[in-house]
Amino acid sequence: MISANNLKPVIDKGLKFYIETYGCQMNVGDSEIVVSILTSDGYTHTENIEDADIILINTCSIRDNAEQRVWGRLREFSSYKKRRPSLIIGVIGCMAERLKERLIESDCGVDIVAGPDSYRTLPLLVNEAKSGGKGINVLLSREETYADISPVRLDRNGVSAFVSIMRGCNNMCSYCVVPYTRGGERSRNSDTIIAEVRDLIDKGYREVTLLGQNVNSYNYEGVTFAELMRRVASLSPLLRVRFATSHPKDLSDELLETMASFPNICKSIHLPAQSGSDTMLERMNRKYTRSWYLERIGAIRRYMPDCSISTDIIAGFCGETPEEHEATLSLMREVGYEFAYMFKYSEREGTKASRHMKDDIDDKVKTERLTEIINLQNELSLASNKRDIGKRFEVLIEGPSKRNPSELVGRNSQNKVCVFADTTHKPGDYVDVIVDDCSSATLLCHLAE
Ligand code: 5AD
Ligand code: SF4
């Protein structure tokens, strides 16, 4: 067997590994890199945990509940290990970086701890574990982008793929653990990105999402994010291009102009606001004001009147007053977001907020505020979907509907889920649909003539 990545002959080590992924899309992309690295070293990927000699869990630290879920899984894995003592358990990703030896010292039978920049050393760490030791590498790097590694796609539909274009983050939002778990920002060589997307097109993929913690600050030897988008979108008119996530401070007119001028760049922007209050934005160290953010929303609408806009909101950050909370609700109404991810603030050790501010909002109040935010967003999503009734959209088909196999599911350019009765088309096809009805989450459509 020849390894795809380094053309070295690979010796089959006869061991099977299973990988489970939590957290953001970046983590999904990272798991694909890990599968590539380990298969190139002779291990076999299995999707059946019962079959595995090695279990890896790719973890998230963004909020305490994300970590609690992983601890729960680790306890289950350690009960497998009691039955099969040779089982190797590895924790990788953000929690590995944050907790380091603490994971090994837990009673969950953890053998390997690998941070997000150390995946190339996983074969060595596995060897260490095989010989009865513990494999730990949590070094962060200024350069690592895994640029030369061809990810092994773990998605099933063969239609859309994630392509990681940068790693780490320099923004230092006061609540956020990411700069500590993923290190500083670095952009991936643009030629390797183009080569990876070309390869995906050749394999029949129809959609790529360019990923990074802060994609729009991408800059590789003078190639800006807008320039990269132009290059990627020019590869094939049949390829849809999306990206996530953007920081409002880096949303340039050059990017908006580029998005507007390519029909295959999807008209959908995820632009996390976090809060609608200037005093709160200041405490969060977001580096923009409400009016500055609204000016950028205005710019999106000027360039692309049909662009959908989504956001992230945090409820109950340190010292949040009722007025600051109201300002968030009013921002949401003013923008009329299509979609939002909404969270209760969760203090993370080591961040600026945990060092210098007090997590002083009662959990009951956080929950009440979050509920208000979620209810408002449901109204806004429903209102936005209702405005689409009667409209015609091009949809990229992803697969059959889970509820009804005679229906297909896909997304329109605005990233809204469209469901329609159809038994003739297949995943990867583009079809035109007309919207008949909706819920707050889905457009119910029929095929256009
Ligand atoms: N508590 C709650 N939500 C957080 N996020 C980031 N850090 C925290 C935290 N400590 C949210 C932000 C970010 C999204 C990925 O997660 O909204 O945009
Ligand atoms: Fe979670 Fe953030 Fe790490 Fe992604 S980068 S896995 S969201 S902590």
Side-chain angles (χ1 to χ4, degrees), residues 40-74:
S40 296
D41 201 58
Y43 295 96
T44 305
H45 176 230
T46 172
E47 293 188 357
N48 181 358
I49 193 165
E50 304 292 331
D51 264 3
D53 305 292
I54 303 163
I55 298 178
L56 297 177
I57 181 161
N58 194 355
T59 59
C60 174
S61 288
I62 198 105
R63 283 168 290 275
D64 186 55
N65 56 10
E67 292 202 352
Q68 291 313 322
R69 235 178 327 144
V70 169
W71 280 116
R73 273 310 264 162
L74 282 174

Side-chain angles (χ1 to χ4, degrees), residues 62-63 175-177 272 274 286 312-314 341 343-348:
I62 198 105
R63 283 168 290 275
Y175 49 81
C176 190
V177 77
Q274 313 298 357
R286 287 292 287 173
D312 291 349
I313 300 285
I314 298 177
Y341 293 106
F343 314 102
K344 269 199 277 191
Y345 172 58
S346 163
E347 185 177 271
R348 311 312 291 138

Side-chain angles (χ1 to χ4, degrees), residues 21-28 30 58-63 66-67 93-95 116 168 176-179 181-182 213 348:
T21 308
Y22 292 83
C24 60
Q25 296 166 333
M26 287 293 293
N27 260 18
V28 177
D30 281 4
N58 194 355
T59 59
C60 174
S61 288
I62 198 105
R63 283 168 290 275
E67 292 202 352
C94 290
M95 232 173 121
C176 190
V177 77
V178 172
T181 60
R182 284 190 167 265
Q213 246 70 45
R348 311 312 291 138

Side-chain angles (χ1 to χ4, degrees), residues 27 61 104 152 159 220-221 227 283 294 300:
N27 260 18
S61 288
I104 300 265
V152 173
V159 175
Y220 182 80
E221 294 181 351
E227 173 62 19
R283 291 208 291 292
L294 283 170
I300 296 173

Side-chain angles (χ1 to χ4, degrees), residues 86-223:
S86 64
L87 185 67
I88 294 173
I89 297 175
V91 181
I92 66 171
C94 290
M95 232 173 121
E97 192 63 50
R98 199 179 85 72
L99 296 174
K100 305 182 171 65
E101 291 80 7
R102 278 186 269 174
L103 285 159
I104 300 265
E105 288 154 11
S106 76
D107 56 3
C108 292
V110 175
D111 305 288
I112 296 172
V113 175
D117 286 345
S118 70
Y119 298 148
R120 284 180 204 269
T121 65
L122 269 171
L124 298 174
L125 302 178
V126 172
N127 277 345
E128 194 67 44
K130 277 198 295 199
S131 54
K134 303 283 177 194
I136 307 186
N137 186 351
V138 287
L139 282 179
L140 287 173
S141 150
R142 276 172 202 224
E143 287 96 33
E144 182 62 273
T145 59
Y146 302 107
D148 55 316
I149 295 189
S150 320
V152 173
R153 305 290 162 192
L154 296 174
D155 64 299
R156 218 51 55 75
N157 68 12
V159 175
S160 52
F162 295 136
V163 175
S164 167
I165 65 160
M166 54 136 43
R167 299 179 71 81
C169 186
N170 287 346
N171 286 331
M172 305 303 275
C173 301
S174 55
Y175 49 81
C176 190
V177 77
V178 172
Y180 307 92
T181 60
R182 284 190 167 265
E185 186 177 300
R186 59 226 108 112
S187 294
R188 174 177 169 190
N189 179 324
S190 50
D191 293 336
T192 69
I193 297 170
I194 299 297
E196 186 174 327
V197 177
R198 271 215 183 94
D199 183 53
L200 286 166
I201 295 171
D202 291 345
K203 291 186 170 127
Y205 281 82
R206 289 277 195 249
E207 182 175 81
V208 291
T209 304
L210 304 186
L211 287 184
Q213 246 70 45
N214 186 10
V215 276
N216 47 358
S217 73
Y218 177 90
N219 195 312
Y220 182 80
E221 294 181 351
V223 179

Side-chain angles (χ1 to χ4, degrees), residues 339-356:
F339 179 81
Y341 293 106
M342 299 154 283
F343 314 102
K344 269 199 277 191
Y345 172 58
S346 163
E347 185 177 271
R348 311 312 291 138
E349 194 186 330
T351 58
K352 216 159 134 200
S354 89
R355 284 181 283 127
H356 303 299

Side-chain angles (χ1 to χ4, degrees), residues 10 35 64 142 226 233 332 406 408 437:
V10 166
V35 173
D64 186 55
R142 276 172 202 224
M332 291 172 69
S406 65
L408 292 175
D437 200 358

